Amino acid sequence: MSTLRFNAVKESLKRKPLKVKEYKRRSEVFASNVFNEEAMRQYLTKDAYNEVNEAIEKGSKINRLVADHISTGMKEWAISKGATHYTHWFQPLTGATAEKHDAFFETIGNGLAIEKFGGSQLVQQEPDASSFPHGGIRNTFEARGYTAWDPTSPAFIYGTTLCIPTVFVSYTGEALDYKTPLLRALQVVDNAAVAVCKYFDKSVRKVNASLGWEQEYFLIDNALAASRPDITLTGRTLFGHSPAKGQQLDDHYFGTIPNRAMAYMRDLENECMLLGIPVKTRHNEVAPNQFELAPIYEEANLAVDHNSLLMDVMQKVAERHSFKVLMHEKPFAGVNGSGKHNNWSLSTDTGVNLLSPGKTPMSNLQFLTFFINTIKAVQIHEELLRAAIASASNDHRLGANEAPPAIISVFIGEQLTKVLEELETVTKGKLSPKEKTDLKLNVVGKIPEILLDNTDRNRTSPFAFTGNKFEFRAVGSMANCANPMTVLNTIVAKQLMEFKAEVDELIDKKSMKKDDAIFNVLREYIKTSKDILFEGNGYSEEWEKEAKKRGLSNNKTTPEALKVKIAKSTIELFEKLGVMNKVEMEARYEIEMEEYILHIQIESRVIGDIARNHIVPTAVRYQNILIKNVTGLKAIYGDKFKDLAKEQLTLIEEISTHIEAINSLVTKMTDERRTLNKFNDIDKKANGYCKKVKSLFDDIRYHCDKLELMIDDELWPLTKYRELLFTK
């Protein structure tokens, strides 16, 4: 293994940046491999084009006869771009995307063939669902699943394949993917938000949730990554002593991008341009060899698809540049992990961002309505938001270095806090003309001026308002954005519905004017949602104590966090709004718990393998070298050898102590795993893996990392942190 390590280091040092094709104007090639409006106008009949637009804008069903015209146009466009195959591209509950390629080619007899792609092939396919996670939804003999075209996310060409974004449902109709519940949640928040917007602008017909994700990742030379079994099998390092230099000098953040990384980024951005992924920002992140890219905001469903596609493309482009992309939330101990900040807002079809103050008191009252309702939604459902970002990998990140803690709170900044405090004093019932004028002019009217100079930021806040959007910072870098976005849009929709009902009741039963009613309801929300607001340091013990007093959850592990997903109130919430039914909720809970168990199980096996088959043998080999040295000194110097070999004898003893501890702990971990594998109760099994198996990881690592500092560098088998993090 030590030979493999040094060969990998030697290979990585030979790398040169690849030459990358440059486009003079990216706007000229943007989305050229996407079946977008421009392509549809060219390849579809007017009726077919209108039918697709109706489906996108109103959610109407596409006529099967028209679907044949659409599929023909799509096929001709794809073939003109060099495509030979098509696939229904979907996002099953594995965390990865899925695709099965079929050729346009079809025989027609007499040795003849044609390119064929019909409407039925476009609209629906029937893949075997037996190998995808289903959480007990189907029986073994019901292996069928259905993929159905999602026209709101345009088809695209990658390589020589036409990829058609689709939903994925079971034979009995339940969602087996991330996209289906997201689409339902987006429809629900659209309806709820439009109803509230009518208080301020009768012309609003549609509200879209927008999403801008920020993707953090590590770039590691692929030879170095391949020399580490833990990176290969788990996506993170399970062992490794911190190098003398890490990120403490803050010299990597926003620094000059290394040449090889820059070539990779340019190549990746070229691919993104062709696929219509509007990436705009790139920079070094805090940890060595950590980077970030971010796009221009898009409609949430399309943004989720683009992020899922991007994660695939990143790995494929990385292969060309001899890199491996690590998206694990905590691939290296002691330095920053990676997140995927989800920047979320709501925008109307009239061009108004509902979380951005306007030029008039009325538009600012609209802003406050959506701003305060979002805070209220998070306050009520903070535990559900925590569950939406729970995973075995994200557990390592939350609360570490600059990542947010597991306690969900909302940061709004000092200026907006003062605005809410003033609104809290609004008179109950009807407002006097003077009070209403004062509120509109001096409180509501001045919000844009307040936010203009608002530079407040809190990097430890899981959910922060950042000027014209909320940033859900606790989302993990490997996550599918659909999961947190489904929850966020659902809880905001529920809250907006309740807000409208309360306002309407005051208008109808108390004969209040609209503005008076809105101010009254918002005042009560401000009072009852104070507990979720927090401006301070999320890492402090004081905050943990304070959060407990406020009744906020602090679910530090995935098994703890996921329990709320099958709570009666959660199931009622999702069922009432039609986002997911009880069967779907319980299935997802089982899938996510099983996934947690498997992640810990795999890491446990890898730890045992590396500790016993790589580290302990190396320690014994070095110990034998020391013993030979001590034996030689004794032969030459007799009794004086004890003084001359004092350090060697100490090392021999310490190595033996660490070897004994490693073997004892690995045996204990293996025994615990075997016992837990007999459990049928998934809750007990997951909690057991968390408390009895995972809890031993750090202890085993401690002894292995101590050996790394003792053993001759020439013998150490695992590529070290200094090599992984500082080889550019």
Side-chain angles (χ1 to χ4, degrees):
M1 275 296 288
S2 60
T3 304
L4 178 60
R5 172 191 160 204
F6 288 113
N7 284 341
V9 172
K10 186 177 179 181
E11 185 70 23
S12 67
L13 293 174
K14 293 178 184 177
R15 311 283 197 204
K16 301 293 180 187
L18 292 186
K19 289 185 178 180
V20 177
K21 183 178 180 180
E22 297 291 351
Y23 296 108
K24 288 184 179 180
R25 290 178 180 268
R26 291 187 169 189
S27 58
E28 292 177 357
V29 296
F30 180 71
S32 57
N33 283 352
V34 179
F35 196 62
N36 55 15
E37 183 178 341
E38 182 183 352
M40 286 194 292
R41 286 185 182 277
Q42 185 177 351
Y43 283 89
L44 297 185
T45 63
K46 186 178 179 180
D47 288 344
Y49 172 78
N50 289 336
E51 190 101 1
V52 175
N53 269 346
E54 284 283 309
I56 294 170
E57 292 173 11
K58 298 180 181 178
S60 57
K61 290 187 177 181
I62 291 176
N63 184 289
R64 279 299 179 115
L65 293 176
V66 178
D68 283 329
H69 293 295
I70 297 169
S71 63
T72 300
M74 196 181 286
K75 177 198 69 179
E76 292 303 316
W77 169 79
I79 291 172
S80 75
K81 292 282 186 178
T84 58
H85 289 67
Y86 66 93
T87 182
H88 275 201
W89 182 81
F90 57 103
Q91 298 165 44
L93 300 172
T94 58
T97 57
E99 52 197 63
K100 175 177 72 75
H101 297 202
D102 286 302
F104 291 124
F105 171 84
E106 195 164 304
T107 58
I108 57 174
N110 298 322
L112 301 174
I114 58 171
E115 274 78 27
K116 185 179 179 182
F117 179 56
S120 59
Q121 294 162 308
L122 165 66
V123 173
Q124 183 177 299
Q125 283 198 326
E126 190 179 317
D128 181 357
S130 59
S131 295
F132 290 112
H134 54 81
I137 284 177
R138 61 159 194 85
N139 294 311
T140 306
F141 58 84
E142 293 172 327
R144 282 177 289 177
Y146 295 98
T147 51
W149 177 34
D150 170 20
T152 64
S153 184
F156 58 90
I157 294 170
Y158 192 65
T160 58
T161 304
L162 170 67
C163 301
I164 303 156
T166 62
V167 299
F168 180 45
V169 297
S170 72
Y171 173 70
T172 46
E174 288 85 8
L176 291 173
D177 65 346
Y178 287 110
K179 180 186 274 281
T180 304
L182 175 65
L183 289 172
R184 294 169 182 164
L186 293 174
Q187 184 62 54
V188 170
V189 81
D190 173 17
N191 295 338
V194 166
V196 173
C197 282
K198 297 289 187 185
Y199 288 138
F200 308 97
D201 183 356
K202 300 286 186 185
S203 66
V204 173
R205 294 287 179 270
K206 187 170 180 59
V207 171
N208 284 317
S210 63
L211 168 65
W213 38 262
E214 301 168 27
Q215 182 71 58
E216 295 176 341
Y217 62 98
F218 283 83
L219 272 183
I220 306 299
D221 187 274
N222 62 5
L224 298 178
S227 72
R228 295 278 310 220
D230 47 0
I231 290 179
T232 301
L233 295 174
T234 72
R236 75 178 182 109
T237 55
L238 299 170
F239 302 98
H241 199 282
S242 297
K245 182 192 175 197
Q247 65 185 47
Q248 61 267 49
L249 295 179
D250 297 323
D251 54 346
H252 190 258
Y253 189 55
F254 276 30
T256 303
I257 300 172
N259 291 336
R260 280 184 65 202
M262 178 62 86
Y264 165 77
M265 289 177 178
R266 291 206 304 266
D267 200 1
L268 175 62
E269 287 168 4
N270 285 346
E271 294 283 358
C272 288
M273 288 300 107
L274 296 172
L275 292 167
I277 306 173
V279 293
K280 186 175 177 66
T281 302
R282 65 189 182 203
H283 63 83
N284 289 3
E285 254 301 331
V286 175
N289 276 348
Q290 187 186 30
F291 306 94
E292 180 183 298
L293 82 158
I296 297 168
Y297 294 7
E298 300 179 282
E299 184 275 326
N301 177 46
L302 183 58
V304 168
D305 280 0
H306 278 165
N307 183 249
S308 297
L309 175 59
L310 173 91
M311 290 194 286
D312 287 342
V313 175
M314 286 176 78
Q315 297 289 5
K316 291 173 182 175
V317 174
E319 290 174 10
R320 294 203 289 260
H321 293 259
S322 300
F323 278 127
K324 183 174 180 63
V325 178
L326 301 186
M327 293 202 187
H328 193 287
E329 282 81 0
K330 197 72 174 175
F332 301 101
V335 298
N336 270 24
S338 297
K340 178 153 41 196
H341 305 169
N342 277 208
N343 295 278
W344 170 89
S345 190
L346 296 170
S347 299
T348 69
D349 57 347
T350 58
V352 175
N353 179 349
L354 296 171
L355 287 174
S356 181
K359 296 178 180 179
T360 66
M362 182 57 75
S363 63
N364 292 329
L365 183 56
Q366 178 175 260
F367 155 73
L368 280 172
T369 295
F370 284 90
F371 175 70
I372 294 169
N373 271 284
T374 302
I375 294 171
K376 181 66 176 172
V378 175
Q379 185 264 328
I380 295 171
H381 301 286
E382 48 89 13
E383 203 168 4
L384 193 52
L385 274 180
R386 168 64 182 97
I389 46 97
S391 68
S393 53
N394 207 22
D395 282 356
H396 294 286
R397 168 180 167 259
L398 295 178
N401 292 79
E402 289 192 7
I407 303 167
I408 300 295
S409 63
V410 178
F411 173 85
I412 62 173
E414 185 181 348
Q415 293 91 336
L416 282 172
T417 299
K418 289 178 181 177
V419 171
L420 297 192
E421 286 171 353
E422 291 196 52
L423 288 172
E424 195 180 345
T425 64
V426 169
T427 303
K428 187 174 183 180
K430 295 179 181 179
L431 279 66
S432 68
K434 183 180 182 304
E435 185 179 14
K436 193 181 295 187
T437 301
D438 188 56
L439 273 173
K440 288 186 176 181
L441 290 179
N442 298 319
V443 181
V444 179
K446 291 185 177 179
I447 289 174
E449 298 169 28
I450 290 169
L451 290 180
L452 194 63
D453 297 318
N454 180 18
T455 56
D456 283 353
R457 290 292 183 270
N458 186 337
R459 295 182 64 84
T460 68
S461 176
F463 199 85
F465 183 71
T466 54
N468 59 2
K469 61 191 182 302
F470 279 99
E471 182 180 17
F472 193 8
R473 300 189 71 252
V475 182
S477 52
M478 286 205 302
N480 186 310
C481 298
N483 212 3
M485 283 297 102
T486 298
V487 171
L488 181 56
N489 284 291
T490 300
I491 63 175
V492 170
K494 178 71 161 57
Q495 183 53 47
L496 290 172
M497 290 174 183
E498 292 184 357
F499 169 78
K500 187 174 188 305
E502 290 182 49
V503 170
D504 287 348
E505 185 175 12
L506 290 178
I507 293 170
D508 296 339
K509 294 186 178 180
K510 302 287 185 179
S511 300
M512 280 191 193
K513 290 185 178 179
K514 179 186 66 181
D515 289 359
D516 292 354
I518 290 172
F519 274 122
N520 269 260
V521 176
L522 291 181
R523 181 197 62 233
E524 294 306 309
Y525 286 177
I526 292 167
K527 289 179 179 179
T528 55
S529 60
K530 278 183 175 180
D531 285 342
I532 201 69
L533 299 178
F534 179 62
E535 308 291 304
N537 180 5
Y539 304 141
S540 66
E541 289 183 12
E542 289 77 11
W543 170 231
E544 285 205 15
K545 293 175 183 175
E546 174 64 23
K548 189 175 182 180
K549 286 181 184 176
R550 296 186 186 188
L552 300 178
S553 65
N554 186 11
N555 297 324
K556 294 185 177 181
T557 68
T558 292
E560 287 178 290
L562 290 179
K563 289 294 287 183
V564 71
K565 284 199 166 188
I566 53 169
K568 184 180 178 182
S569 59
T570 303
I571 292 171
E572 286 177 355
L573 165 68
F574 281 90
E575 281 198 317
K576 186 175 180 181
L577 298 185
V579 175
M580 281 186 279
N581 61 33
K582 185 179 180 181
V583 172
E584 290 168 324
M585 293 292 293
E586 290 177 344
R588 277 157 204 271
Y589 172 76
E590 187 171 322
I591 289 166
E592 289 178 40
M593 289 288 268
E594 182 68 25
E595 183 183 19
Y596 177 84
I597 292 166
L598 292 174
H599 271 288
I600 305 301
Q601 186 183 80
I602 290 167
E603 289 191 350
S604 170
R605 287 172 173 166
V606 174
I607 285 171
D609 171 34
I610 295 176
R612 280 189 166 154
N613 297 328
H614 299 273
I615 293 174
V616 167
T618 302
V620 171
R621 193 177 307 124
Y622 183 58
Q623 194 178 49
N624 287 337
I625 292 171
L626 293 173
I627 291 169
K628 187 176 181 182
N629 175 263
V630 171
T631 304
L633 288 172
K634 185 177 182 182
I636 296 171
Y637 294 103
D639 291 341
K640 290 183 180 179
F641 89 96
K642 288 186 179 179
D643 294 327
L644 297 172
K646 186 177 179 182
E647 293 300 322
Q648 294 93 315
L649 289 167
T650 300
L651 270 174
I652 290 168
E653 286 184 27
E654 288 181 358
I655 289 170
S656 289
T657 300
H658 289 303
I659 289 173
E660 191 281 327
I662 290 167
N663 280 321
S664 173
L665 287 166
V666 169
T667 298
K668 183 180 179 182
M669 179 180 68
T670 305
D671 290 343
E672 293 286 7
R673 201 172 64 227
R674 285 173 179 158
T675 301
L676 290 166
N677 286 344
K678 296 174 184 177
F679 285 21
N680 291 320
D681 187 308
I682 198 162
D683 291 347
K684 290 181 180 177
K685 192 172 181 180
N687 280 292
Y689 261 93
C690 179
K691 294 174 182 176
K692 295 181 179 180
V693 177
K694 184 186 171 188
S695 61
L696 296 171
F697 287 7
D698 286 344
D699 294 337
I700 297 169
R701 180 174 189 154
Y702 169 80
H703 293 286
C704 291
D705 289 356
K706 283 294 183 183
L707 287 175
E708 181 183 333
L709 293 180
M710 296 177 185
I711 292 171
D712 183 355
D713 185 63
E714 291 288 328
L715 296 178
W716 191 252
L718 301 177
T719 304
K720 296 191 174 184
Y721 267 33
R722 67 168 184 265
E723 296 152 351
L724 291 165
L725 291 171
F726 291 97
T727 303
K728 304 298 181 186

